[in-house]
PDB file of all heavy atoms in Angstrom:
ATOM      1  N   LEU V 285      -7.617  -8.188  -1.158  1.00  0.00           N
ATOM      2  CA  LEU V 285      -8.507  -7.037  -1.307  1.00  0.00           C
ATOM      3  C   LEU V 285      -8.270  -6.330  -2.634  1.00  0.00           C
ATOM      4  O   LEU V 285      -9.217  -5.879  -3.281  1.00  0.00           O
ATOM      5  CB  LEU V 285      -8.306  -6.065  -0.143  1.00  0.00           C
ATOM      6  CG  LEU V 285      -8.689  -6.591   1.241  1.00  0.00           C
ATOM      7  CD1 LEU V 285      -8.486  -5.511   2.302  1.00  0.00           C
ATOM      8  CD2 LEU V 285     -10.114  -7.105   1.283  1.00  0.00           C
ATOM      9  N   ILE V 301     -15.649 -11.235   0.817  1.00  0.00           N
ATOM     10  CA  ILE V 301     -15.126  -9.895   1.095  1.00  0.00           C
ATOM     11  C   ILE V 301     -16.261  -8.877   1.153  1.00  0.00           C
ATOM     12  O   ILE V 301     -16.261  -7.976   2.000  1.00  0.00           O
ATOM     13  CB  ILE V 301     -14.080  -9.504   0.040  1.00  0.00           C
ATOM     14  CG1 ILE V 301     -12.838 -10.386   0.191  1.00  0.00           C
ATOM     15  CG2 ILE V 301     -13.700  -8.029   0.155  1.00  0.00           C
ATOM     16  CD1 ILE V 301     -11.728 -10.100  -0.796  1.00  0.00           C
ATOM     17  N   VAL V 320      -8.624   2.626  -6.335  1.00  0.00           N
ATOM     18  CA  VAL V 320      -8.160   3.692  -7.226  1.00  0.00           C
ATOM     19  C   VAL V 320      -9.059   4.904  -7.017  1.00  0.00           C
ATOM     20  O   VAL V 320     -10.281   4.764  -6.940  1.00  0.00           O
ATOM     21  CB  VAL V 320      -8.225   3.240  -8.692  1.00  0.00           C
ATOM     22  CG1 VAL V 320      -7.891   4.388  -9.628  1.00  0.00           C
ATOM     23  CG2 VAL V 320      -7.268   2.081  -8.926  1.00  0.00           C
ATOM     24  N   LEU V 324     -11.030  11.330  -8.657  1.00  0.00           N
ATOM     25  CA  LEU V 324     -10.166  11.998  -9.622  1.00  0.00           C
ATOM     26  C   LEU V 324     -10.688  11.795 -11.030  1.00  0.00           C
ATOM     27  O   LEU V 324     -10.668  12.708 -11.856  1.00  0.00           O
ATOM     28  CB  LEU V 324      -8.746  11.451  -9.498  1.00  0.00           C
ATOM     29  CG  LEU V 324      -7.725  11.957 -10.524  1.00  0.00           C
ATOM     30  CD1 LEU V 324      -7.548  13.457 -10.402  1.00  0.00           C
ATOM     31  CD2 LEU V 324      -6.396  11.241 -10.352  1.00  0.00           C
ATOM     32  N   LEU V 327     -13.713  14.012 -11.490  1.00  0.00           N
ATOM     33  CA  LEU V 327     -13.315  15.416 -11.540  1.00  0.00           C
ATOM     34  C   LEU V 327     -12.657  15.746 -12.863  1.00  0.00           C
ATOM     35  O   LEU V 327     -12.917  16.796 -13.474  1.00  0.00           O
ATOM     36  CB  LEU V 327     -12.348  15.718 -10.387  1.00  0.00           C
ATOM     37  CG  LEU V 327     -11.846  17.165 -10.277  1.00  0.00           C
ATOM     38  CD1 LEU V 327     -13.000  18.107 -10.016  1.00  0.00           C
ATOM     39  CD2 LEU V 327     -10.804  17.269  -9.194  1.00  0.00           C
ATOM     40  N   ALA V 347     -18.360  20.976 -38.200  1.00  0.00           N
ATOM     41  CA  ALA V 347     -19.227  21.866 -37.422  1.00  0.00           C
ATOM     42  C   ALA V 347     -19.754  21.251 -36.145  1.00  0.00           C
ATOM     43  O   ALA V 347     -20.944  21.089 -35.961  1.00  0.00           O
ATOM     44  CB  ALA V 347     -20.415  22.306 -38.296  1.00  0.00           C
ATOM     45  N   SER V 358     -12.393  17.503 -23.319  1.00  0.00           N
ATOM     46  CA  SER V 358     -12.273  17.141 -21.913  1.00  0.00           C
ATOM     47  C   SER V 358     -11.916  15.682 -21.749  1.00  0.00           C
ATOM     48  O   SER V 358     -11.123  15.310 -20.881  1.00  0.00           O
ATOM     49  CB  SER V 358     -13.596  17.434 -21.180  1.00  0.00           C
ATOM     50  OG  SER V 358     -13.903  18.798 -21.251  1.00  0.00           O
ATOM     51  N   VAL V 368      -1.419  10.311 -15.937  1.00  0.00           N
ATOM     52  CA  VAL V 368      -0.282  10.885 -15.222  1.00  0.00           C
ATOM     53  C   VAL V 368      -0.476  10.801 -13.720  1.00  0.00           C
ATOM     54  O   VAL V 368       0.405  10.364 -12.980  1.00  0.00           O
ATOM     55  CB  VAL V 368      -0.061  12.355 -15.643  1.00  0.00           C
ATOM     56  CG1 VAL V 368       0.980  13.019 -14.754  1.00  0.00           C
ATOM     57  CG2 VAL V 368       0.376  12.416 -17.102  1.00  0.00           C
ATOM     58  N   ASN V 372       1.779   8.204 -11.595  1.00  0.00           N
ATOM     59  CA  ASN V 372       2.783   8.801 -10.728  1.00  0.00           C
ATOM     60  C   ASN V 372       2.512   8.511  -9.264  1.00  0.00           C
ATOM     61  O   ASN V 372       3.431   8.400  -8.459  1.00  0.00           O
ATOM     62  CB  ASN V 372       2.848  10.320 -10.936  1.00  0.00           C
ATOM     63  CG  ASN V 372       3.498  10.674 -12.255  1.00  0.00           C
ATOM     64  OD1 ASN V 372       4.225   9.867 -12.818  1.00  0.00           O
ATOM     65  ND2 ASN V 372       3.237  11.872 -12.748  1.00  0.00           N
ATOM     66  N   PRO V 376       6.716   4.338  -8.250  1.00  0.00           N
ATOM     67  CA  PRO V 376       7.890   5.185  -8.084  1.00  0.00           C
ATOM     68  C   PRO V 376       8.591   5.354  -9.411  1.00  0.00           C
ATOM     69  O   PRO V 376       8.294   4.668 -10.381  1.00  0.00           O
ATOM     70  CB  PRO V 376       8.756   4.370  -7.103  1.00  0.00           C
ATOM     71  CG  PRO V 376       8.367   2.953  -7.376  1.00  0.00           C
ATOM     72  CD  PRO V 376       6.887   2.989  -7.729  1.00  0.00           C
ATOM     73  N   THR V 380      14.399   3.185  -8.910  1.00  0.00           N
ATOM     74  CA  THR V 380      14.587   3.825  -7.619  1.00  0.00           C
ATOM     75  C   THR V 380      14.722   2.826  -6.492  1.00  0.00           C
ATOM     76  O   THR V 380      14.955   3.198  -5.362  1.00  0.00           O
ATOM     77  CB  THR V 380      13.407   4.769  -7.311  1.00  0.00           C
ATOM     78  OG1 THR V 380      12.180   4.064  -7.504  1.00  0.00           O
ATOM     79  CG2 THR V 380      13.441   5.991  -8.193  1.00  0.00           C
ATOM     80  N   GLN V 390       2.973   2.056   0.837  1.00  0.00           N
ATOM     81  CA  GLN V 390       2.636   2.510   2.183  1.00  0.00           C
ATOM     82  C   GLN V 390       1.887   3.837   2.150  1.00  0.00           C
ATOM     83  O   GLN V 390       1.096   4.137   3.054  1.00  0.00           O
ATOM     84  CB  GLN V 390       3.915   2.636   3.026  1.00  0.00           C
ATOM     85  CG  GLN V 390       3.699   3.057   4.472  1.00  0.00           C
ATOM     86  CD  GLN V 390       2.974   2.006   5.301  1.00  0.00           C
ATOM     87  OE1 GLN V 390       2.899   0.853   4.906  1.00  0.00           O
ATOM     88  NE2 GLN V 390       2.460   2.397   6.455  1.00  0.00           N
ATOM     89  N   ALA V 409       1.544 -16.325  13.545  1.00  0.00           N
ATOM     90  CA  ALA V 409       2.632 -17.269  13.795  1.00  0.00           C
ATOM     91  C   ALA V 409       3.067 -17.961  12.511  1.00  0.00           C
ATOM     92  O   ALA V 409       4.268 -18.188  12.284  1.00  0.00           O
ATOM     93  CB  ALA V 409       2.192 -18.301  14.833  1.00  0.00           C
ATOM     94  N   ARG V 414       7.263 -18.531   8.368  1.00  0.00           N
ATOM     95  CA  ARG V 414       7.714 -18.509   6.977  1.00  0.00           C
ATOM     96  C   ARG V 414       8.783 -17.443   6.785  1.00  0.00           C
ATOM     97  O   ARG V 414       9.766 -17.653   6.068  1.00  0.00           O
ATOM     98  CB  ARG V 414       6.532 -18.243   6.046  1.00  0.00           C
ATOM     99  CG  ARG V 414       6.924 -18.232   4.577  1.00  0.00           C
ATOM    100  CD  ARG V 414       5.746 -17.902   3.679  1.00  0.00           C
ATOM    101  NE  ARG V 414       6.162 -17.670   2.303  1.00  0.00           N
ATOM    102  CZ  ARG V 414       5.387 -17.153   1.354  1.00  0.00           C
ATOM    103  NH1 ARG V 414       4.137 -16.827   1.636  1.00  0.00           N
ATOM    104  NH2 ARG V 414       5.855 -16.966   0.133  1.00  0.00           N
ATOM    105  N   ASP V 422      14.297 -13.911  13.568  1.00  0.00           N
ATOM    106  CA  ASP V 422      13.215 -14.168  14.513  1.00  0.00           C
ATOM    107  C   ASP V 422      12.505 -12.849  14.799  1.00  0.00           C
ATOM    108  O   ASP V 422      13.087 -11.923  15.349  1.00  0.00           O
ATOM    109  CB  ASP V 422      13.773 -14.761  15.803  1.00  0.00           C
ATOM    110  CG  ASP V 422      12.688 -15.070  16.832  1.00  0.00           C
ATOM    111  OD1 ASP V 422      11.489 -14.866  16.525  1.00  0.00           O
ATOM    112  OD2 ASP V 422      13.036 -15.511  17.942  1.00  0.00           O
ATOM    113  N   SER V 428       5.780  -6.677  19.897  1.00  0.00           N
ATOM    114  CA  SER V 428       5.514  -5.903  21.119  1.00  0.00           C
ATOM    115  C   SER V 428       6.658  -4.920  21.363  1.00  0.00           C
ATOM    116  O   SER V 428       7.506  -5.135  22.232  1.00  0.00           O
ATOM    117  CB  SER V 428       5.343  -6.834  22.321  1.00  0.00           C
ATOM    118  OG  SER V 428       6.457  -7.711  22.441  1.00  0.00           O
ATOM    119  N   ALA V 451       2.693  -4.688   9.854  1.00  0.00           N
ATOM    120  CA  ALA V 451       1.970  -3.423   9.919  1.00  0.00           C
ATOM    121  C   ALA V 451       1.638  -3.059  11.362  1.00  0.00           C
ATOM    122  O   ALA V 451       1.229  -3.917  12.155  1.00  0.00           O
ATOM    123  CB  ALA V 451       0.692  -3.503   9.091  1.00  0.00           C
ATOM    124  N   GLU V 455       1.247   5.320  18.314  1.00  0.00           N
ATOM    125  CA  GLU V 455       0.356   5.765  19.384  1.00  0.00           C
ATOM    126  C   GLU V 455      -0.601   6.858  18.937  1.00  0.00           C
ATOM    127  O   GLU V 455      -1.706   6.986  19.470  1.00  0.00           O
ATOM    128  CB  GLU V 455       1.192   6.239  20.575  1.00  0.00           C
ATOM    129  CG  GLU V 455       1.950   5.109  21.267  1.00  0.00           C
ATOM    130  CD  GLU V 455       2.843   5.609  22.382  1.00  0.00           C
ATOM    131  OE1 GLU V 455       3.186   6.816  22.378  1.00  0.00           O
ATOM    132  OE2 GLU V 455       3.215   4.803  23.259  1.00  0.00           O
ATOM    133  N   THR V 458      -0.740   6.824  13.452  1.00  0.00           N
ATOM    134  CA  THR V 458      -0.011   6.826  12.187  1.00  0.00           C
ATOM    135  C   THR V 458       0.264   5.398  11.723  1.00  0.00           C
ATOM    136  O   THR V 458       0.814   4.602  12.488  1.00  0.00           O
ATOM    137  CB  THR V 458       1.329   7.565  12.326  1.00  0.00           C
ATOM    138  OG1 THR V 458       1.084   8.916  12.716  1.00  0.00           O
ATOM    139  CG2 THR V 458       2.103   7.553  11.019  1.00  0.00           C
ATOM    140  N   CYS V 463       9.434  -3.636   6.979  1.00  0.00           N
ATOM    141  CA  CYS V 463       9.554  -4.533   5.825  1.00  0.00           C
ATOM    142  C   CYS V 463      10.940  -5.144   5.781  1.00  0.00           C
ATOM    143  O   CYS V 463      11.931  -4.491   6.123  1.00  0.00           O
ATOM    144  CB  CYS V 463       9.279  -3.773   4.530  1.00  0.00           C
ATOM    145  SG  CYS V 463       7.595  -3.119   4.413  1.00  0.00           S
ATOM    146  N   MET V 479      10.147   9.971   1.622  1.00  0.00           N
ATOM    147  CA  MET V 479       9.497   9.730   0.337  1.00  0.00           C
ATOM    148  C   MET V 479       7.997   9.762   0.525  1.00  0.00           C
ATOM    149  O   MET V 479       7.489   9.249   1.526  1.00  0.00           O
ATOM    150  CB  MET V 479       9.923   8.369  -0.237  1.00  0.00           C
ATOM    151  CG  MET V 479      11.368   8.301  -0.696  1.00  0.00           C
ATOM    152  SD  MET V 479      11.873   6.616  -1.117  1.00  0.00           S
ATOM    153  CE  MET V 479      11.946   5.896   0.516  1.00  0.00           C
ATOM    154  N   GLY V 493      17.657  -6.528   3.998  1.00  0.00           N
ATOM    155  CA  GLY V 493      17.337  -5.116   4.092  1.00  0.00           C
ATOM    156  C   GLY V 493      16.130  -4.916   4.994  1.00  0.00           C
ATOM    157  O   GLY V 493      15.119  -5.607   4.851  1.00  0.00           O
TER     158      GLY V 493
END
Side-chain angles (χ1 to χ4, degrees):
L285 295 182
I301 292 180
V320 174
L324 175 62
L327 181 63
S358 299
V368 171
N372 287 339
T380 51
Q390 182 67 17
R414 181 183 170 192
D422 181 2
S428 54
E455 292 176 339
T458 300
C463 297
M479 290 171 288

